[in-house]
């Protein structure tokens, strides 16, 4: 469970605790080295993403920037392995979906081939090397942050970072409206996910209100995650699964294209609601929540 603000714990202390908790969890996953499972690899990347999102709430200092650089490098080490897993999971999910109900067998065969190839690659030590590389960067990030003694600034400590993340998400939404490209939609997902992780810290301040907004962010990012996976899978999927006829390839491509359009039609109205406020108003609203909660528990 990620750390949250609680009575008797200042926002500065809660932020420090949350960042270090995510770093420790990621380093624990890395210690498994070659025995790590795909699920643990996924969890490790999530902990890194959470730490990076929370770190954006910190005042910008050289130590914070160096820690962000180390975390970004750690994520890069893990990226290729996780992308392989994500592709495999997406193909297996597609085989069970209505999109490919009559093409399930060749999709399962492709998944089995990819799984076999992945096992061979893992056996060469490539995954162990990636984990060791990521672990080294995580250790250096921890060194940069372990001695941080955050000033007791109250909500003003995180207000700039909270506002910047929301503003980036709002801008990404504007770009996605103007051009509904996979790149723009993926950027929208990244910023919305960062906001999701950040608001977890504040959820106890007004559980129902903030949790409801986080649920909207979760729905948005989940749908955009499906869009991202399918958009990466779509090009050439027919050739890869050795479909018996060109018509089958065209049929699958048409179904995938239709599904991508359905996701876009669903997420854009949702994103419009999520980013309806101006960044200043968004932050001011949460500052008021925090002030009321502080008075109540203080």
């Amino acid at each position: 469970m990620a750390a949250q603000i609680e009575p008797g714990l200042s926002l500065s202390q809660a932020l420090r605790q949350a960042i270090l908790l995510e770093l420790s969890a990621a380093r624990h996953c890395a210690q498994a080295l070659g025995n790590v499972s795909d699920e643990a690899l996924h969890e490790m990347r999530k902990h890194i993403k959470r730490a990076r999102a929370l770190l954006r709430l910190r005042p910008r200092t050289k130590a914070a920037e160096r820690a962000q650089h180390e975390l970004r490098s750690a994520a890069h080490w893990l990226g290729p392995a996780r992308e392989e897993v994500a592709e495999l999971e997406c193909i297996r999910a597609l085989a069970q979906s209505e999109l490919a109900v009559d093409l399930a067998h060749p999709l399962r065969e492709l998944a089995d081939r990819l799984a076999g190839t992945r096992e061979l690659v893992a056996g060469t030590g490539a995954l162990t090397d990636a984990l060791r590389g990521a672990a080294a960067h995580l250790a250096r990030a921890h060194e940069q942050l372990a001695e941080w003694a955050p000033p007791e600034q109250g909500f003003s400590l995180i207000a700039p970072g909270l506002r910047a993340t929301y503003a980036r998400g709002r801008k990404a939404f504007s770009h996605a409206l103007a051009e509904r490209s996979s790149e723009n939609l993926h950027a929208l997902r990244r910023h919305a996910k960062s906001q999701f992780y950040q608001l977890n810290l504040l959820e106890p301040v007004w559980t129902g209100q903030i949790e409801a907004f986080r649920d909207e962010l979760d729905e948005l990012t989940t749908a955009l995650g499906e869009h991202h996976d399918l958009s990466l899978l779509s090009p050439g999927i027919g050739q890869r699964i050795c479909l018996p006829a060109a018509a089958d390839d065209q049929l699958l491509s048409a179904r995938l294209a239709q599904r991508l359009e359905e996701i876009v039609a669903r997420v854009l109205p949702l994103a419009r609601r999520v980013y309806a406020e101006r960044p200043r108003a968004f932050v001011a609203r949460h500052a008021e929540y925090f002030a009321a909660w502080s008075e109540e528990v203080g």
Side-chain angles (χ1 to χ4, degrees), residues 30 32-36 77-78 81 121-135:
L33 294 178
N35 295 321
V36 70
W77 272 101
L78 301 174
V121 172
T124 66
L127 181 57
T128 300
D129 290 343
L131 289 168
R132 283 178 175 153

Side-chain angles (χ1 to χ4, degrees), residues 254-269:
R255 288 176 181 173
L256 291 174
Q258 180 181 355
R259 178 57 182 159
L260 290 171
E261 290 177 3
E262 291 172 352
I263 294 172
V264 171
R266 172 187 167 195
V267 301
L268 289 182

